[in-house]
Amino acid sequence: MSNTEVLRWVAEADDSLARNKILTDNEIVRALIAEDDDDVTPSNPIKISHSEAGAELGTSLQWAEEQNFEAHEIMLLRRLRDRAFKLKIGTATQTKITDFFGH
């Protein structure tokens, strides 16, 4: 590298430093936290029921089988579908006999 090239590189580096603000560690952390706060998060996230999840996972499982996915991928979808079913059963409220009679 010639002296002219070195001087040009140093001048470009100086210009770059002049354009970019040098931050302290605390300023970097504050900037990153501010970026996290700017992330878009839905104010009212959509709640998906266990029944809906199970049905969609069943559809996904059928599709994966038709596309000849690998066995471990199909097994994962089966486990997820089965887990959604168990959650659905676990959260179902048991009906009381008194619910069928007028009070």
Side-chain angles (χ1 to χ4, degrees):
M1 190 179 273
S2 69
N3 286 340
T4 307
E5 290 173 328
V6 170
L7 291 174
R8 186 177 308 129
W9 182 82
V10 169
E12 288 174 5
D14 286 343
D15 289 344
S16 177
L17 287 173
R19 284 191 306 266
N20 296 319
K21 181 180 175 186
I22 298 175
L23 301 175
T24 65
D25 290 345
N26 289 335
E27 290 171 329
I28 293 170
V29 170
R30 275 189 243 120
L32 289 173
I33 291 171
E35 282 181 19
D36 286 346
D37 292 343
D38 293 342
D39 289 344
V40 177
T41 55
S43 57
N44 294 325
I46 299 171
K47 292 295 242 176
I48 300 172
S49 70
H50 301 311
S51 297
E52 290 174 305
E56 295 301 325
L57 285 164
T59 302
S60 299
L61 176 60
Q62 182 180 358
W63 174 79
E65 289 171 341
E66 290 171 0
Q67 301 301 316
N68 296 319
F69 274 42
E70 293 183 21
H72 71 276
E73 295 169 322
I74 291 173
M75 292 303 297
L76 174 62
L77 287 171
R78 281 191 184 136
R79 283 199 330 250
L80 290 171
R81 181 200 59 192
D82 294 348
R83 178 131 187 229
F85 179 74
K86 287 177 185 176
L87 288 169
K88 174 186 169 190
I89 297 301
T91 58
T93 57
Q94 183 175 355
T95 306
K96 298 177 188 173
I97 188 103
T98 55
D99 293 343
F100 295 103
F101 302 105
H103 295 162

PDB file of all heavy atoms in Angstrom, residues 74-94:
ATOM      1  N   ILE A  74     -42.741 -35.358  11.328  1.00  0.00           N
ATOM      2  CA  ILE A  74     -44.124 -35.810  11.480  1.00  0.00           C
ATOM      3  C   ILE A  74     -44.414 -36.130  12.946  1.00  0.00           C
ATOM      4  O   ILE A  74     -45.481 -35.788  13.464  1.00  0.00           O
ATOM      5  CB  ILE A  74     -44.389 -37.015  10.555  1.00  0.00           C
ATOM      6  CG1 ILE A  74     -44.363 -36.537   9.091  1.00  0.00           C
ATOM      7  CG2 ILE A  74     -45.699 -37.700  10.892  1.00  0.00           C
ATOM      8  CD1 ILE A  74     -44.439 -37.634   8.065  1.00  0.00           C
ATOM      9  N   MET A  75     -43.465 -36.762  13.613  1.00  0.00           N
ATOM     10  CA  MET A  75     -43.653 -37.088  15.038  1.00  0.00           C
ATOM     11  C   MET A  75     -43.795 -35.824  15.873  1.00  0.00           C
ATOM     12  O   MET A  75     -44.589 -35.785  16.819  1.00  0.00           O
ATOM     13  CB  MET A  75     -42.485 -37.940  15.554  1.00  0.00           C
ATOM     14  CG  MET A  75     -42.441 -39.340  14.964  1.00  0.00           C
ATOM     15  SD  MET A  75     -43.949 -40.281  15.253  1.00  0.00           S
ATOM     16  CE  MET A  75     -43.947 -40.397  17.015  1.00  0.00           C
ATOM     17  N   LEU A  76     -43.061 -34.781  15.538  1.00  0.00           N
ATOM     18  CA  LEU A  76     -43.183 -33.522  16.266  1.00  0.00           C
ATOM     19  C   LEU A  76     -44.588 -32.952  16.114  1.00  0.00           C
ATOM     20  O   LEU A  76     -45.213 -32.542  17.097  1.00  0.00           O
ATOM     21  CB  LEU A  76     -42.151 -32.506  15.778  1.00  0.00           C
ATOM     22  CG  LEU A  76     -42.266 -31.104  16.367  1.00  0.00           C
ATOM     23  CD1 LEU A  76     -42.063 -31.137  17.876  1.00  0.00           C
ATOM     24  CD2 LEU A  76     -41.283 -30.165  15.715  1.00  0.00           C
ATOM     25  N   LEU A  77     -45.098 -32.959  14.886  1.00  0.00           N
ATOM     26  CA  LEU A  77     -46.465 -32.453  14.673  1.00  0.00           C
ATOM     27  C   LEU A  77     -47.485 -33.300  15.422  1.00  0.00           C
ATOM     28  O   LEU A  77     -48.445 -32.760  15.996  1.00  0.00           O
ATOM     29  CB  LEU A  77     -46.791 -32.421  13.179  1.00  0.00           C
ATOM     30  CG  LEU A  77     -46.105 -31.314  12.384  1.00  0.00           C
ATOM     31  CD1 LEU A  77     -46.325 -31.512  10.889  1.00  0.00           C
ATOM     32  CD2 LEU A  77     -46.610 -29.950  12.817  1.00  0.00           C
ATOM     33  N   ARG A  78     -47.296 -34.606  15.451  1.00  0.00           N
ATOM     34  CA  ARG A  78     -48.207 -35.486  16.202  1.00  0.00           C
ATOM     35  C   ARG A  78     -48.179 -35.164  17.689  1.00  0.00           C
ATOM     36  O   ARG A  78     -49.217 -35.098  18.338  1.00  0.00           O
ATOM     37  CB  ARG A  78     -47.840 -36.951  15.991  1.00  0.00           C
ATOM     38  CG  ARG A  78     -48.332 -37.496  14.701  1.00  0.00           C
ATOM     39  CD  ARG A  78     -48.177 -39.005  14.640  1.00  0.00           C
ATOM     40  NE  ARG A  78     -48.594 -39.446  13.327  1.00  0.00           N
ATOM     41  CZ  ARG A  78     -47.949 -40.334  12.595  1.00  0.00           C
ATOM     42  NH1 ARG A  78     -46.868 -40.911  13.062  1.00  0.00           N
ATOM     43  NH2 ARG A  78     -48.387 -40.652  11.402  1.00  0.00           N
ATOM     44  N   ARG A  79     -46.970 -34.981  18.224  1.00  0.00           N
ATOM     45  CA  ARG A  79     -46.854 -34.653  19.658  1.00  0.00           C
ATOM     46  C   ARG A  79     -47.529 -33.329  19.974  1.00  0.00           C
ATOM     47  O   ARG A  79     -48.204 -33.182  20.994  1.00  0.00           O
ATOM     48  CB  ARG A  79     -45.381 -34.622  20.074  1.00  0.00           C
ATOM     49  CG  ARG A  79     -44.795 -35.993  20.233  1.00  0.00           C
ATOM     50  CD  ARG A  79     -43.502 -36.028  21.060  1.00  0.00           C
ATOM     51  NE  ARG A  79     -42.686 -34.853  21.015  1.00  0.00           N
ATOM     52  CZ  ARG A  79     -41.500 -34.763  20.412  1.00  0.00           C
ATOM     53  NH1 ARG A  79     -40.996 -35.797  19.780  1.00  0.00           N
ATOM     54  NH2 ARG A  79     -40.816 -33.653  20.451  1.00  0.00           N
ATOM     55  N   LEU A  80     -47.342 -32.337  19.097  1.00  0.00           N
ATOM     56  CA  LEU A  80     -47.980 -31.036  19.321  1.00  0.00           C
ATOM     57  C   LEU A  80     -49.510 -31.155  19.245  1.00  0.00           C
ATOM     58  O   LEU A  80     -50.224 -30.579  20.057  1.00  0.00           O
ATOM     59  CB  LEU A  80     -47.474 -30.009  18.299  1.00  0.00           C
ATOM     60  CG  LEU A  80     -46.029 -29.562  18.479  1.00  0.00           C
ATOM     61  CD1 LEU A  80     -45.596 -28.720  17.289  1.00  0.00           C
ATOM     62  CD2 LEU A  80     -45.861 -28.785  19.772  1.00  0.00           C
ATOM     63  N   ARG A  81     -49.996 -31.905  18.254  1.00  0.00           N
ATOM     64  CA  ARG A  81     -51.446 -32.099  18.121  1.00  0.00           C
ATOM     65  C   ARG A  81     -52.001 -32.801  19.357  1.00  0.00           C
ATOM     66  O   ARG A  81     -53.020 -32.398  19.913  1.00  0.00           O
ATOM     67  CB  ARG A  81     -51.751 -32.918  16.868  1.00  0.00           C
ATOM     68  CG  ARG A  81     -53.250 -33.139  16.643  1.00  0.00           C
ATOM     69  CD  ARG A  81     -53.535 -34.283  15.739  1.00  0.00           C
ATOM     70  NE  ARG A  81     -52.958 -35.506  16.303  1.00  0.00           N
ATOM     71  CZ  ARG A  81     -52.841 -36.638  15.635  1.00  0.00           C
ATOM     72  NH1 ARG A  81     -53.214 -36.713  14.378  1.00  0.00           N
ATOM     73  NH2 ARG A  81     -52.330 -37.707  16.212  1.00  0.00           N
ATOM     74  N   ASP A  82     -51.312 -33.846  19.805  1.00  0.00           N
ATOM     75  CA  ASP A  82     -51.756 -34.586  20.990  1.00  0.00           C
ATOM     76  C   ASP A  82     -51.720 -33.709  22.235  1.00  0.00           C
ATOM     77  O   ASP A  82     -52.603 -33.787  23.090  1.00  0.00           O
ATOM     78  CB  ASP A  82     -50.909 -35.837  21.196  1.00  0.00           C
ATOM     79  CG  ASP A  82     -51.096 -36.871  20.089  1.00  0.00           C
ATOM     80  OD1 ASP A  82     -52.053 -36.725  19.290  1.00  0.00           O
ATOM     81  OD2 ASP A  82     -50.270 -37.806  20.020  1.00  0.00           O
ATOM     82  N   ARG A  83     -50.716 -32.868  22.328  1.00  0.00           N
ATOM     83  CA  ARG A  83     -50.623 -31.970  23.493  1.00  0.00           C
ATOM     84  C   ARG A  83     -51.769 -30.961  23.494  1.00  0.00           C
ATOM     85  O   ARG A  83     -52.351 -30.674  24.542  1.00  0.00           O
ATOM     86  CB  ARG A  83     -49.289 -31.240  23.472  1.00  0.00           C
ATOM     87  CG  ARG A  83     -49.137 -30.271  24.617  1.00  0.00           C
ATOM     88  CD  ARG A  83     -47.843 -30.444  25.306  1.00  0.00           C
ATOM     89  NE  ARG A  83     -47.837 -29.602  26.483  1.00  0.00           N
ATOM     90  CZ  ARG A  83     -46.855 -28.781  26.788  1.00  0.00           C
ATOM     91  NH1 ARG A  83     -45.795 -28.722  26.045  1.00  0.00           N
ATOM     92  NH2 ARG A  83     -46.928 -28.047  27.864  1.00  0.00           N
ATOM     93  N   ALA A  84     -52.115 -30.435  22.317  1.00  0.00           N
ATOM     94  CA  ALA A  84     -53.242 -29.503  22.228  1.00  0.00           C
ATOM     95  C   ALA A  84     -54.524 -30.206  22.659  1.00  0.00           C
ATOM     96  O   ALA A  84     -55.362 -29.622  23.356  1.00  0.00           O
ATOM     97  CB  ALA A  84     -53.374 -28.967  20.801  1.00  0.00           C
ATOM     98  N   PHE A  85     -54.686 -31.482  22.268  1.00  0.00           N
ATOM     99  CA  PHE A  85     -55.871 -32.242  22.666  1.00  0.00           C
ATOM    100  C   PHE A  85     -55.910 -32.430  24.176  1.00  0.00           C
ATOM    101  O   PHE A  85     -56.957 -32.243  24.811  1.00  0.00           O
ATOM    102  CB  PHE A  85     -55.887 -33.599  21.956  1.00  0.00           C
ATOM    103  CG  PHE A  85     -57.061 -34.455  22.336  1.00  0.00           C
ATOM    104  CD1 PHE A  85     -58.328 -34.164  21.847  1.00  0.00           C
ATOM    105  CD2 PHE A  85     -56.906 -35.539  23.183  1.00  0.00           C
ATOM    106  CE1 PHE A  85     -59.422 -34.943  22.200  1.00  0.00           C
ATOM    107  CE2 PHE A  85     -57.989 -36.319  23.544  1.00  0.00           C
ATOM    108  CZ  PHE A  85     -59.253 -36.025  23.048  1.00  0.00           C
ATOM    109  N   LYS A  86     -54.771 -32.784  24.774  1.00  0.00           N
ATOM    110  CA  LYS A  86     -54.716 -32.965  26.229  1.00  0.00           C
ATOM    111  C   LYS A  86     -55.031 -31.656  26.958  1.00  0.00           C
ATOM    112  O   LYS A  86     -55.708 -31.651  27.984  1.00  0.00           O
ATOM    113  CB  LYS A  86     -53.353 -33.495  26.655  1.00  0.00           C
ATOM    114  CG  LYS A  86     -53.139 -34.945  26.288  1.00  0.00           C
ATOM    115  CD  LYS A  86     -51.739 -35.411  26.662  1.00  0.00           C
ATOM    116  CE  LYS A  86     -51.504 -36.836  26.181  1.00  0.00           C
ATOM    117  NZ  LYS A  86     -50.138 -37.283  26.437  1.00  0.00           N
ATOM    118  N   LEU A  87     -54.531 -30.545  26.436  1.00  0.00           N
ATOM    119  CA  LEU A  87     -54.833 -29.251  27.050  1.00  0.00           C
ATOM    120  C   LEU A  87     -56.320 -28.939  26.940  1.00  0.00           C
ATOM    121  O   LEU A  87     -56.919 -28.400  27.875  1.00  0.00           O
ATOM    122  CB  LEU A  87     -54.006 -28.144  26.402  1.00  0.00           C
ATOM    123  CG  LEU A  87     -52.518 -28.151  26.736  1.00  0.00           C
ATOM    124  CD1 LEU A  87     -51.764 -27.178  25.838  1.00  0.00           C
ATOM    125  CD2 LEU A  87     -52.307 -27.806  28.209  1.00  0.00           C
ATOM    126  N   LYS A  88     -56.911 -29.288  25.809  1.00  0.00           N
ATOM    127  CA  LYS A  88     -58.346 -29.064  25.619  1.00  0.00           C
ATOM    128  C   LYS A  88     -59.140 -29.872  26.643  1.00  0.00           C
ATOM    129  O   LYS A  88     -60.045 -29.348  27.291  1.00  0.00           O
ATOM    130  CB  LYS A  88     -58.750 -29.472  24.206  1.00  0.00           C
ATOM    131  CG  LYS A  88     -60.227 -29.416  23.952  1.00  0.00           C
ATOM    132  CD  LYS A  88     -60.563 -29.970  22.579  1.00  0.00           C
ATOM    133  CE  LYS A  88     -62.053 -30.146  22.445  1.00  0.00           C
ATOM    134  NZ  LYS A  88     -62.408 -30.883  21.243  1.00  0.00           N
ATOM    135  N   ILE A  89     -58.784 -31.137  26.815  1.00  0.00           N
ATOM    136  CA  ILE A  89     -59.470 -32.005  27.768  1.00  0.00           C
ATOM    137  C   ILE A  89     -59.248 -31.513  29.199  1.00  0.00           C
ATOM    138  O   ILE A  89     -60.160 -31.499  30.013  1.00  0.00           O
ATOM    139  CB  ILE A  89     -58.986 -33.466  27.624  1.00  0.00           C
ATOM    140  CG1 ILE A  89     -59.322 -34.005  26.247  1.00  0.00           C
ATOM    141  CG2 ILE A  89     -59.572 -34.351  28.710  1.00  0.00           C
ATOM    142  CD1 ILE A  89     -60.785 -33.996  25.900  1.00  0.00           C
ATOM    143  N   GLY A  90     -58.030 -31.093  29.496  1.00  0.00           N
ATOM    144  CA  GLY A  90     -57.698 -30.655  30.852  1.00  0.00           C
ATOM    145  C   GLY A  90     -58.390 -29.375  31.270  1.00  0.00           C
ATOM    146  O   GLY A  90     -58.631 -29.151  32.459  1.00  0.00           O
ATOM    147  N   THR A  91     -58.732 -28.532  30.318  1.00  0.00           N
ATOM    148  CA  THR A  91     -59.370 -27.263  30.674  1.00  0.00           C
ATOM    149  C   THR A  91     -60.883 -27.305  30.554  1.00  0.00           C
ATOM    150  O   THR A  91     -61.550 -26.347  30.906  1.00  0.00           O
ATOM    151  CB  THR A  91     -58.841 -26.118  29.784  1.00  0.00           C
ATOM    152  OG1 THR A  91     -59.083 -26.437  28.420  1.00  0.00           O
ATOM    153  CG2 THR A  91     -57.362 -25.882  30.021  1.00  0.00           C
ATOM    154  N   ALA A  92     -61.409 -28.424  30.052  1.00  0.00           N
ATOM    155  CA  ALA A  92     -62.867 -28.534  29.937  1.00  0.00           C
ATOM    156  C   ALA A  92     -63.464 -28.615  31.336  1.00  0.00           C
ATOM    157  O   ALA A  92     -62.953 -29.302  32.214  1.00  0.00           O
ATOM    158  CB  ALA A  92     -63.232 -29.772  29.126  1.00  0.00           C
ATOM    159  N   THR A  93     -64.541 -27.900  31.539  1.00  0.00           N
ATOM    160  CA  THR A  93     -65.192 -27.921  32.847  1.00  0.00           C
ATOM    161  C   THR A  93     -66.188 -29.072  32.899  1.00  0.00           C
ATOM    162  O   THR A  93     -66.899 -29.345  31.938  1.00  0.00           O
ATOM    163  CB  THR A  93     -65.935 -26.604  33.129  1.00  0.00           C
ATOM    164  OG1 THR A  93     -66.879 -26.384  32.084  1.00  0.00           O
ATOM    165  CG2 THR A  93     -64.976 -25.444  33.200  1.00  0.00           C
ATOM    166  N   GLN A  94     -66.180 -29.718  34.024  1.00  0.00           N
ATOM    167  CA  GLN A  94     -67.093 -30.835  34.196  1.00  0.00           C
ATOM    168  C   GLN A  94     -68.497 -30.301  34.447  1.00  0.00           C
ATOM    169  O   GLN A  94     -68.700 -29.381  35.231  1.00  0.00           O
ATOM    170  CB  GLN A  94     -66.644 -31.692  35.376  1.00  0.00           C
ATOM    171  CG  GLN A  94     -67.499 -32.920  35.572  1.00  0.00           C
ATOM    172  CD  GLN A  94     -66.948 -33.805  36.671  1.00  0.00           C
ATOM    173  OE1 GLN A  94     -65.882 -33.537  37.204  1.00  0.00           O
ATOM    174  NE2 GLN A  94     -67.696 -34.849  37.003  1.00  0.00           N
TER     175      GLN A  94
END
